């Protein structure tokens, strides 16, 4: 019977082999931010189109290890079509899962659902890979800032 770790490995490999929302968007109206993880050689470009209070579209290009690329793919699925506020909540929830310093969610607020992204929680046990898992997210954070969102 397959365990949780096998299921998680399957999810990560699936997103690595068939990345979602892969590509680029025209800038402007979209903004772009680039991230690089020299420890592993991962490179990511995040294209973000914010329309009012909504993440209207997001695409990712780049290359790197399975952790970095699958995390980017899952990230696009998690935030695409969400409100900017929800995207920030998901970003915080993911960073918290990865053991990074993040302000606590306001009392009484439901924690954001991470869905497939929970497959990456095992990465916390391997500090050298945390940068791989969080690269897309720090790049997204920069893109949000570039978009004024
Ligand atoms: Zn990597």
């Amino acid at each position: 019977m397959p365990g949780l770790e096998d299921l998680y490995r399957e999810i990560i490999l699936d997103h690595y082999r068939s990345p979602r929302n892969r590509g680029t968007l025209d800038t402007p109206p979209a903004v772009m931010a680039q991230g690089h993880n020299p420890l592993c050689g991962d490179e990511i470009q995040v294209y973000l189109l914010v329309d009012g209070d909504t993440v209207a579209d997001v695409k990712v290009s780049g290359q790197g290890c399975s952790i970095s690329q699958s995390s980017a793919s899952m990230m696009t699925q998690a935030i695409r079509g969400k409100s900017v506020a929800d995207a920030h909540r998901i970003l915080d929830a993911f960073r918290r899962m990865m053991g990074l310093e993040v302000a606590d969610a306001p009392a009484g607020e439901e924690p954001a659902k991470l869905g497939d992204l929970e497959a990456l929680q095992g990465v916390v046990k391997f500090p050298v890979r945390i940068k791989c898992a969080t690269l897309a997210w720090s790049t997204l954070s920069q893109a949000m800032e570039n978009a004024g969102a």
Side-chain angles (χ1 to χ4, degrees), residues 53 55 78-79 81-92 109 112 144:
D53 290 331
V55 177
I79 66 161
K82 296 278 170 33
S83 69
V84 167
D86 279 344
H88 279 291
R89 274 193 279 275
I90 293 164
L91 179 59
D92 282 355
E109 186 181 291
M144 302 260 267

Side-chain angles (χ1 to χ4, degrees), residues 1 9 19 47 59 65 74 82-83 85 87 90 97 110 126:
M1 185 144 154
R9 193 174 309 120
Y47 293 82
K59 296 236 189 257
C65 69
M74 289 187 245
K82 296 278 170 33
S83 69
I90 293 164
M97 183 176 84
E110 279 277 304
F126 308 96

Side-chain angles (χ1 to χ4, degrees), residues 37 40-42 64-68 129 131-133:
N37 171 19
C40 181
D42 308 314
C65 69
S66 59
I67 301 286
S68 68
R129 306 310 299 278
K131 270 232 185 320
C132 300

